Amino acid sequence: MSHWIWIALTAGCGQMYQAPGAPAPVPPAAAAQPAVVAGPPEMPPAGEPAPESPPDDPAVAARASDDPYAAARPARPARPRSAPRAQSGEAGIWIEAHNRVRAKHCAAPLTWSAKLAQVAQRWAGALRDKGCAFGHSNGSFGENLAAGTSGTLDPTAVVAMWYDEVAQYRFPNGGFSMKTGHFTQVVWRGTTQVGCGKSQCNGMDIWVCEYDPAGNWEGQYRDNVLPVGCR
């Protein structure tokens, strides 16, 4: 029995990976995509300057100075912030797999977004409903896709497959490439959130991950895709 895997990324179609010796399968139809993401996203409008702090109340200052024990009284310790709750289940596996490889490239850990997961699941379902189609949603988020024989992949294997494209990336001056676009989105330093979904169709698993803010912006690779060791 042959097993095959097919992957795709935002701004381009993917490659088909076939087990050695297996007959070449007929891949699902892929929607045509532009070769390069054209330009950076819009910057948010500049906020209003912060208002100046009001002058100290003289009456309050006088009361404080009249307290002979004020200087000796220890300051109240700040209440420690609770650590973010670790993600559990499949979402936790996606987060751990992404953050493990992001750490190699000095990219801050991603957090799980329920909103992005809903977007990803909705698109994975749409691909299934289109008869195992394989193409991008062309939404406002970064997007990585993968598909393969059911049971061939899990979240850890999917992220590892995307990350393995690092071998073909040319630091420090690399840019967008169909051969490395999954990797660059996974480790893109400007991305802060991820959410993923999955569907099944005709013996195939379809995986979708959405990223916010989106990566793979032309002209920003040097700052957002650092080599291992981050030098």
Side-chain angles (χ1 to χ4, degrees):
M1 177 180 178
S2 61
H3 296 277
W4 60 277
I5 301 170
W6 205 46
I7 60 176
L9 60 148
T10 297
C13 301
Q15 295 176 299
M16 182 168 60
Y17 290 81
Q18 182 183 347
V26 178
Q33 304 294 327
V36 177
V37 177
E42 295 182 354
M43 296 295 292
E48 295 295 330
E52 295 183 1
S53 300
D56 292 337
D57 185 341
V60 174
R63 286 196 299 270
S65 61
D66 291 342
D67 184 355
Y69 301 102
R73 186 180 297 119
R76 179 180 297 177
R79 180 178 298 176
R81 294 182 179 179
S82 57
R85 185 173 58 184
Q87 200 70 41
S88 60
E90 188 166 285
I93 298 174
W94 280 114
I95 288 294
E96 196 278 334
H98 276 87
N99 290 343
R100 183 173 61 250
V101 296
R102 285 175 63 84
K104 298 179 181 181
H105 300 268
C106 289
L110 299 180
T111 58
W112 184 259
S113 166
K115 174 185 175 180
L116 293 179
Q118 291 176 352
V119 174
Q121 187 59 52
R122 186 160 53 243
W123 185 241
L127 294 177
R128 175 200 60 215
D129 296 343
K130 292 179 180 181
C132 301
F134 196 67
H136 284 285
S137 62
N138 297 320
S140 59
F141 304 114
E143 186 172 84
N144 276 355
L145 307 179
T149 303
S150 292
T152 303
L153 299 172
D154 61 14
T156 300
V158 170
V159 175
M161 182 173 62
W162 291 335
Y163 178 76
D164 283 347
E165 295 175 353
V166 64
Q168 302 182 68
Y169 190 77
R170 297 293 175 260
F171 297 97
N173 298 318
F176 179 81
S177 167
M178 295 295 296
K179 296 181 179 180
T180 60
H182 304 93
F183 155 70
T184 51
Q185 173 60 87
V186 167
V187 303
W188 195 265
R189 297 181 74 199
T191 297
T192 60
Q193 294 184 307
V194 65
C196 304
K198 173 189 176 184
S199 65
Q200 292 182 316
C201 179
N202 294 341
M204 180 175 67
D205 292 335
I206 301 174
W207 305 86
V208 179
C209 281
E210 303 286 339
Y211 301 85
D212 187 40
N216 289 347
W217 292 103
E218 200 61 44
Q220 299 182 20
Y221 284 83
R222 179 182 281 270
D223 293 331
N224 283 279
V225 183
L226 302 184
V228 172
C230 314
R231 297 174 182 174

